[in-house]
Amino acid sequence: MTHPKTQFVDNPAVKDKAKTKSISLIGSTGSIGRQALEVISAHEERIKVTALAAGKKHLEELAQQVRRYKPDIVAVPDAEAATELRSLLTGIDTKSQAGTGTESQTDIGIQIQPEILTGEQGLIAAATHPEAEIVLTAIVGFAGVKPTYAAIKKGKTIALANKETLVAAGCFIMPLVKEYGAQIIPVDSEHSAIHQCLSGYEISNMRRIWLTGSGGPFRTWNQNQIDNATIHDALQHPNWSMGKKITVDSATLMNKGLEIIEARWLFDFDPRKIKVVIQPQQILHSAVEFNDGSIIGQFGVPDMRLPIHYSLFYPQRVEFEGGPRLDLCKLSSLTFEEPDYTRFPCLKIAQAIANEESTLASVLNAANEVIVEAFLNNRLRFKDIPDHLQRLLDKHKPISNPLLDDILAADQWARQEALSILAAMV
């Protein structure tokens, strides 16, 4: 596989500095979505928001976003959320099209307001908006697979922040990217770093990927401390401000395991040559070692606005006024450590599955979502997370080279099985 080469002066998009890009933002009220809108706000003359999609926990915030960015369509989970959103968009006369799954609104004689769509079809409509050149998928979990799949089939550029899409369905998704002429620009800081390091090179030039991680909040804790960690402890990430689920994944180091799987599919690279290294300061976001022994790394402050900015303007390097800057003269030290697979068995579990081309990764992803949610709801202890994951994986009968239906079935099986195990513990 050849990594997409950066295009310079002969690229029309580079010549036309005033060109406006249209974007659909899936997951606008989450951590990544909010930071993406900060980036967009810094470039309003160059980026237009055509669609927003969000969950129902932060509808007031979504209403503010709708007023601020004036998208064509908005997607929410269900009719109840649509009704509440309409009530929050004050001054709007709403009319429902019963039975269509679509809620359209018109401001009383003043201007056309966005459509409000619901459910999975709403997500897909947002992801496939005909004017959207970029689809930023910042939704958390397996729910990101279908809208990403739909956007790929439309040949969109995907700014991918939803790692679960490639973890659970990478073997199915990546061939479609080539088939439909789509493009994936990673938003995860580690994969964005690798993407930047590879610019102008081919995968065959690579010897190893150095995938960095902070080590999470328990990097220096002993086994007994980790076994007795509380929810509060697990949510105290030393460097990043993220959602609860991914923060717990950072505490277990599952996030590094999932990122190995994601990198394997994203860069079409042997997972056995992806090496995790703990870099506590999180200044080096990942690196690529080439066949000649040279290592190219991407440095920057730990701020997700940087990889988001990169994904929205690639292949250009656009000025980010007010964006975070790294002063190398002020760095006191950069340190590197081997990960501890004994204290963090989730990393070992995921790393083993990275070598598979089966539904095992789908099961791992689904089971982890359910089990982490159970931990966050005080239904199990932190130390029980890897044991429950391994128990589920051992029960699964994997399907090799799965199609989408196989992946969906494995995901559903894993969720039901995980819930059954949790119910039996009560």
Side-chain angles (χ1 to χ4, degrees), residues 250-327:
S250 179
T252 64
L253 291 197
M254 174 58 82
N255 67 324
K256 291 300 117 184
L258 298 179
E259 286 167 10
I260 292 172
I261 300 172
E262 182 181 5
R264 178 250 172 103
W265 295 113
L266 187 60
F267 303 110
D268 191 21
F269 196 65
D270 185 344
R272 294 169 297 181
K273 297 180 180 180
I274 302 174
K275 174 75 172 178
V276 172
V277 59
I278 303 303
Q279 207 284 291
Q281 298 81 21
Q282 282 288 270
I283 298 299
L284 176 64
H285 295 293
S286 277
V288 172
E289 180 179 341
F290 292 94
N291 294 330
D292 61 3
S294 296
I295 296 178
I296 295 178
Q298 188 265 325
F299 292 79
V301 296
D303 190 312
M304 283 304 300
R305 290 176 297 171
L306 288 175
I308 291 168
H309 191 275
Y310 172 80
S311 72
L312 295 184
F313 288 102
Y314 176 83
Q316 294 175 260
R317 289 286 189 172
V318 173
E319 176 72 21
F320 187 7
E321 293 185 11
R325 302 283 174 173
L326 175 65
D327 187 341

Side-chain angles (χ1 to χ4, degrees), residues 342-381:
T342 300
R343 288 184 298 138
F344 301 100
C346 283
L347 175 57
K348 186 174 183 180
I349 291 170
Q351 199 164 37
I353 288 175
N355 297 310
E356 302 287 336
E357 294 187 25
S358 73
T359 49
L360 275 171
S362 307
V363 170
L364 174 69
N365 179 73
N368 185 60
E369 285 186 24
V370 174
I371 291 168
V372 168
E373 183 67 22
F375 167 70
L376 288 169
N377 289 326
N378 272 315
R379 297 184 62 190
L380 52 77
R381 298 169 297 179

Side-chain angles (χ1 to χ4, degrees), residues 30-88:
S31 175
I32 296 296
R34 291 169 182 148
Q35 292 176 84
L37 289 172
E38 287 185 41
V39 173
I40 290 168
S41 295
H43 298 282
E44 287 188 89
E45 76 287 356
R46 302 193 59 167
I47 303 178
K48 170 181 168 52
V49 177
T50 61
L52 293 173
K56 58 197 302 182
K57 291 183 179 179
H58 304 287
L59 290 177
E60 288 189 9
E61 181 179 0
L62 178 59
Q64 293 172 3
Q65 292 174 354
V66 171
R67 296 190 197 96
R68 174 74 172 78
Y69 299 99
K70 299 178 176 62
D72 297 332
I73 63 172
V74 182
V76 291
D78 52 38
E80 180 183 0
T83 299
E84 184 174 348
L85 180 60
R86 290 198 308 273
S87 70
L88 290 166

Side-chain angles (χ1 to χ4, degrees), residues 104-414:
S104 62
Q105 301 96 28
T106 306
D107 192 299
I108 307 173
I110 299 176
Q111 65 180 25
I112 300 300
Q113 295 292 332
E115 288 184 299
I116 299 180
L117 300 99
T118 59
E120 186 177 278
Q121 291 306 308
L123 276 179
I124 291 173
T128 58
H129 190 291
E131 293 183 12
E133 301 166 67
I134 300 174
V135 180
L136 174 52
T137 56
I139 190 172
V140 176
F142 189 78
V145 173
K146 285 190 177 181
T148 304
Y149 168 59
I152 288 169
K153 290 179 70 176
K154 294 294 184 181
K156 304 287 190 183
T157 294
I158 316 295
L160 187 68
N162 174 260
K163 64 166 58 71
E164 291 84 359
T165 293
L166 293 186
V167 170
C171 58
F172 172 76
I173 288 290
M174 289 310 294
L176 295 177
V177 173
K178 183 177 181 180
E179 179 181 346
Y180 288 99
Q183 185 178 34
I184 292 181
I185 311 298
V187 173
D188 271 356
S189 61
E190 296 83 1
H191 300 86
S192 175
I194 296 163
H195 190 274
Q196 294 177 61
C197 293
L198 280 173
S199 184
Y201 297 98
E202 296 185 352
I203 300 299
S204 59
N205 299 147
M206 295 166 58
R207 182 176 183 270
R208 178 177 294 165
I209 288 174
W210 290 93
L211 188 70
T212 63
S214 68
F218 303 146
R219 179 178 67 88
T220 61
W221 287 32
N222 63 39
Q223 189 67 65
N224 183 62
Q225 289 174 309
I226 293 172
D227 287 348
N228 292 287
T230 66
I231 296 170
H232 175 78
D233 295 332
L235 294 177
Q236 303 307 302
H237 195 281
N239 301 107
W240 298 99
S241 174
M242 306 178 292
K244 289 184 178 182
K245 191 266 182 184
I246 192 172
T247 305
V248 174
D249 282 347
S250 179
T252 64
L253 291 197
M254 174 58 82
N255 67 324
K256 291 300 117 184
L258 298 179
E259 286 167 10
I260 292 172
I261 300 172
E262 182 181 5
R264 178 250 172 103
W265 295 113
L266 187 60
F267 303 110
D268 191 21
F269 196 65
D270 185 344
R272 294 169 297 181
K273 297 180 180 180
I274 302 174
K275 174 75 172 178
V276 172
V277 59
I278 303 303
Q279 207 284 291
Q281 298 81 21
Q282 282 288 270
I283 298 299
L284 176 64
H285 295 293
S286 277
V288 172
E289 180 179 341
F290 292 94
N291 294 330
D292 61 3
S294 296
I295 296 178
I296 295 178
Q298 188 265 325
F299 292 79
V301 296
D303 190 312
M304 283 304 300
R305 290 176 297 171
L306 288 175
I308 291 168
H309 191 275
Y310 172 80
S311 72
L312 295 184
F313 288 102
Y314 176 83
Q316 294 175 260
R317 289 286 189 172
V318 173
E319 176 72 21
F320 187 7
E321 293 185 11
R325 302 283 174 173
L326 175 65
D327 187 341
L328 292 175
C329 293
K330 293 182 179 179
L331 283 181
S332 58
S333 66
L334 290 177
T335 59
F336 303 89
E337 305 167 6
E338 288 271 358
D340 188 329
Y341 293 95
T342 300
R343 288 184 298 138
F344 301 100
C346 283
L347 175 57
K348 186 174 183 180
I349 291 170
Q351 199 164 37
I353 288 175
N355 297 310
E356 302 287 336
E357 294 187 25
S358 73
T359 49
L360 275 171
S362 307
V363 170
L364 174 69
N365 179 73
N368 185 60
E369 285 186 24
V370 174
I371 291 168
V372 168
E373 183 67 22
F375 167 70
L376 288 169
N377 289 326
N378 272 315
R379 297 184 62 190
L380 52 77
R381 298 169 297 179
F382 184 83
K383 72 174 186 177
D384 294 329
I385 293 174
D387 292 339
H388 279 58
L389 286 171
Q390 190 61 61
R391 185 175 167 190
L392 267 166
L393 289 164
D394 291 342
K395 293 184 70 173
H396 181 60
K397 297 178 181 178
I399 298 173
S400 298
N401 302 310
L403 298 176
L404 183 58
D405 285 346
D406 300 319
I407 292 165
L408 294 173
D411 176 87
Q412 189 62 32
W413 175 87

